[in-house]
Amino acid sequence: MRNFIRLYINGQPCQISGNIAFLSLANYLRYERQATGTKIVCEEGDCGACSVLLGRMEGDQLVYRPINSCIQFLYQLDCTHIITVEGLKLDGKLNPVQEAMVDEHGAQCGYCTPGFVVTMCSLLDKKPAQVSCQDLKDGLTGNLCRCTGYEPILRAGMSVELPNIKPIQQLYPSEPMIRDFQDHIQEDVRIEAGVRLFFCPASVESAVTFKAEHAGTVVVSGGTDIGVICNKRGIEPSVVMSTTHLPALEQIESQTDADGQTVLTVGARVTLSVLEAYMKDRVPELHKILNVFGAPQIKNAGTLAGNIANGSPIGDSLPFLMVMDAEVELMGVQGTRIVNMNRLYKGYRTLDMQPDELITRIRIPLPTANETLRLYKVSKRKHLDISAFTAAIRLMMEDESITSARLAYGGVGPVVLRLPETEAFLVGKPMTEATFREAGKIARQEVTPISDVRGSQAFRLQLAENILMKFYFEVAETPEAVCP
């Protein structure tokens, strides 16, 4: 067991211990390393001004993705390589992306510019051919600019000649860093600093043992939620455990059960960006929701297991998981048990989990060819916004009649709700406008929304009713549109 974090910053090795390990990456870069190109603006992962590239081991190389450094803590970054905007220069000169931003006047106040540069470098590094303007728009949804406007920034990205960009793997060869990391990654990490304790286990067994011995342990995977809480509320958990070094939980596996249904097993460390890409052709409806779940920087860190553990009644993935009867695998010192998603939540942010248990995997049956699935997210903005209302509707039809119905709504109660009365009403009914109009009225009676900053009670009640009409008109107009 060691008592320090090992990482590299712009190719230089760093060894971090004590109180510094509990700093956010952005604060460490700016105040301890004087790498002030990384800006801190919103400090909650919204604006992207603090974007850096995070390189993690995947096989025999480091794979780089942009993240928000303001809500990543150093204790999460053991055995990683961080590249800041300063580290993207070529031989002391601006790289082609930086030059393009200058030539196209893509900066005004300058706060957002480093984040845009970092994200564009990541996008252009991964593309084998010239990127499209839409590629840039999609990739830059997590980078906000309030001065220049996006046209000159997009022009800058489009003007870059890809052959002029030196690949990151050439700029920073992986081999020496990976050899260093391999010497450290199999060890548990434990750092004590005053009243604070951090633990990074090298095995799931070590993780649950530590959790059992330390009541109130805060488990951090992507850290996209706890980072905001720490920054905005000044809360500092006294005991923190990171799941960084649990590669067994980073896999997605697909199997066919005895009934011929495809079941995915998603490890608790699988990021939302990886899951989004995996679901593109398998469950397009979930891919659509994940696409607007949050910024790329958020999805490159956050996990499906984290969205489940958060227990928010407006968690974007939860309605889907509930109508699909997904199961959560929990591991504790007494072994492993399985809990159906529809029985996991006992109340507002209260889960059926023992103090020593850890979410290890999620098992998700996928829709079959004869089912129709629709997922909905209602928010004030399409991208980068918390939901006001969410819904999942899953139906099976036979001979113009509904034979099975499952509905789940979020944002209408203390937990995401299944609607058993509405489901029972729909079964056996014809697929008609009148059926769904009446179903909407029943659904309205099954929910108990409140008013808050994202929507009034009356607004959410109306959505509970209207979403069924929206579903009907979508499916009625395209009856062949079922999930593959």
Side-chain angles (χ1 to χ4, degrees), residues 97-110 112-113 120 145 147-157 159:
V97 174
Q98 293 168 317
E99 289 181 344
M101 288 287 278
V102 173
D103 294 341
E104 297 294 339
H105 309 288
Q108 189 166 322
C109 80
C112 71
T113 305
M120 277 200 281
C145 175
C147 298
T148 310
Y150 297 96
E151 186 175 344
I153 295 172
L154 293 172
R155 283 204 310 266
S159 70

Side-chain angles (χ1 to χ4, degrees), residues 150-184:
Y150 297 96
E151 186 175 344
I153 295 172
L154 293 172
R155 283 204 310 266
M158 293 298 294
S159 70
V160 176
E161 296 293 334
L162 289 183
N164 295 333
I165 294 181
K166 188 174 183 178
I168 293 173
Q169 292 291 349
Q170 292 182 21
L171 194 61
Y172 295 103
S174 295
E175 291 81 3
M177 289 182 279
I178 286 181
R179 285 197 299 270
D180 187 3
F181 295 157
Q182 288 172 338
D183 291 337
H184 294 91

Side-chain angles (χ1 to χ4, degrees), residues 206-238:
S206 183
V208 298
T209 299
F210 179 86
K211 202 165 183 280
E213 294 172 350
H214 297 83
T217 296
V218 173
V219 179
V220 177
S221 185
T224 55
D225 185 57
I226 190 64
V228 177
I229 292 172
C230 292
N231 290 343
K232 295 303 182 181
R233 301 182 190 174
I235 295 173
E236 295 184 347
S238 57

Side-chain angles (χ1 to χ4, degrees), residues 2-6 14-17 78 184 187 189-191:
R2 54 189 164 92
N3 64 351
F4 61 87
I5 301 296
R6 183 67 167 176
C14 302
Q15 191 162 297
I16 295 166
S17 59
D78 190 48
H184 294 91
E187 300 175 287
V189 180
R190 183 186 178 106
I191 297 176

Side-chain angles (χ1 to χ4, degrees), residues 305-315 318 345 347-351 414-416:
N307 201 224
I308 293 170
N310 180 275
S312 170
I314 47 175
L318 305 189
Y345 299 105
Y348 179 70
R349 296 184 185 268
T350 303
L351 282 65
V415 297
V416 175

Side-chain angles (χ1 to χ4, degrees), residues 243-256:
T243 60
T244 297
H245 293 336
L246 301 178
L249 306 186
E250 295 179 352
Q251 309 300 318
I252 302 179
E253 299 175 349
S254 177
Q255 295 180 322
T256 302

